[in-house]
Amino acid sequence: MAEKLRPLVAGNWKMNGLAASAAEFGKVVAGAAPLAGKADLMICPPATLIPAFAASARGSAVTVGGQDCHAKASGAHTGDLAAEMLADAGAVAVIVGHSERRADHGETDAQVRDKAQAAHRAGLTAIVCVGEQRSEREARETLAVIGRQLEGSLPDAATGANLVVAYEPVWAIGTGLTPTPADVGEVHAFIRQHLRQRYGAEGGRVRILYGGSVKPANAGELLTIADVNGALVGGASLKADDFLGIAAVYG
Ligand code: 13P
């Protein structure tokens, strides 16, 4: 039986947002109040904005996360940020293994796993992303690909509190395309089974988010599928009204 988990709707701002974006973030914070206790809301802005956003969200239903971290806690790694630094800045979570980082920076499953473990070392929730390419779906390799990514990218130990898995089909990101509800359900059930085998009862408590062209118009259909415990939202999270419109599915 699937446990009833409190949904998480997380916005990934990617490389968007300047100090002036605090106003839009403020609208998310204000609009999130009615969802308190029903769903967790999170915005993952560029790291430059984490301290200000975390301060303005304090005491609200919204938390703040990072988009990537280095595996090490400190050292000679110019331009990188440690998970400890994100936590120090006010983040409670960090996305690791997003397909854009796997593509742009050649991140491997093993590196993603090290980053997830770094997140745990720093007391952050790791949001680990997996997802197939269009060619892999067409070749009916989706579950094999996802299985390999989970095997390689997930940390050795995890709880429902410190791990979130995001299923983001690469071909659905920023394209307006989404898998059918049946296809989403199949992958999420597969991920759930993997999590239970790996982490036992805690694996039943890890939230599995769907990501890829989630909008207010399709949120009702996508976010009510079994084992879909929320969303990781890109483009639509940049507008408070759209982001809140998605989260309202759980209102
Ligand atoms: P879009 O919602 O813009 O498709 O992006 C999804 C995503 O990559 C979230 O991490």
Side-chain angles (χ1 to χ4, degrees):
M1 257 308 281
E3 283 190 54
K4 183 109 184 68
L5 306 178
R6 181 148 72 201
L8 169 65
V9 181
N12 174 9
W13 278 21
K14 308 190 180 184
M15 199 171 72
N16 299 289
L18 300 169
S21 313
E24 202 65 26
F25 181 73
K27 284 193 210 165
V28 173
V29 172
L35 286 162
K38 297 181 184 161
D40 295 333
L41 268 60
M42 181 186 295
I43 294 289
C44 301
T48 47
L49 299 177
I50 291 174
F53 282 20
S56 84
R58 199 159 293 136
S60 80
V62 182
T63 56
V64 176
Q67 298 177 10
D68 175 53
C69 67
H70 195 278
K72 299 251 169 68
S74 65
H77 302 287
T78 302
D80 279 316
L81 292 171
E84 282 78 358
M85 294 169 178
L86 300 175
D88 187 52
V92 300
V94 60
I95 298 168
V96 294
H98 191 281
S99 61
E100 287 154 14
R101 292 208 58 89
R102 291 177 186 258
D104 293 356
H105 301 274
E107 288 187 7
T108 63
D109 288 333
Q111 286 170 324
V112 174
R113 177 178 167 278
D114 288 348
K115 290 174 181 226
Q117 304 212 137
H120 289 175
R121 183 190 65 220
L124 299 176
T125 295
I127 303 175
V128 179
C129 302
V130 296
E132 83 284 2
Q133 308 279 344
R134 180 196 294 274
S135 59
E136 293 166 336
R137 177 159 285 280
E138 285 169 355
R140 298 179 177 278
E141 290 167 358
T142 298
L143 296 186
V145 168
I146 302 296
R148 274 201 304 276
Q149 291 177 336
L150 293 171
E151 195 63 50
S153 306
L154 293 182
D156 288 341
T159 68
N162 72 11
L163 180 65
V164 172
V165 174
Y167 168 54
E168 300 205 308
V170 177
W171 53 272
I173 294 177
T175 59
L177 303 172
T178 55
T180 65
D183 286 343
V184 171
E186 180 187 37
V187 174
H188 279 242
F190 175 80
I191 295 172
R192 177 65 67 207
Q193 187 186 24
H194 183 101
L195 292 170
R196 282 190 196 279
Q197 273 169 9
R198 187 111 165 221
Y199 305 120
E202 282 299 322
R205 300 186 188 113
V206 171
R207 289 177 289 189
I208 309 172
L209 311 184
Y210 169 76
S213 296
V214 180
K215 315 280 178 216
N218 62 18
E221 183 176 53
L222 290 167
L223 303 191
T224 52
I225 298 168
D227 279 316
V228 174
N229 311 117
L232 185 54
V233 185
S237 72
L238 295 171
K239 288 261 170 290
D241 287 347
D242 287 349
F243 184 64
L244 292 167
I246 291 166
V249 165
Y250 300 117

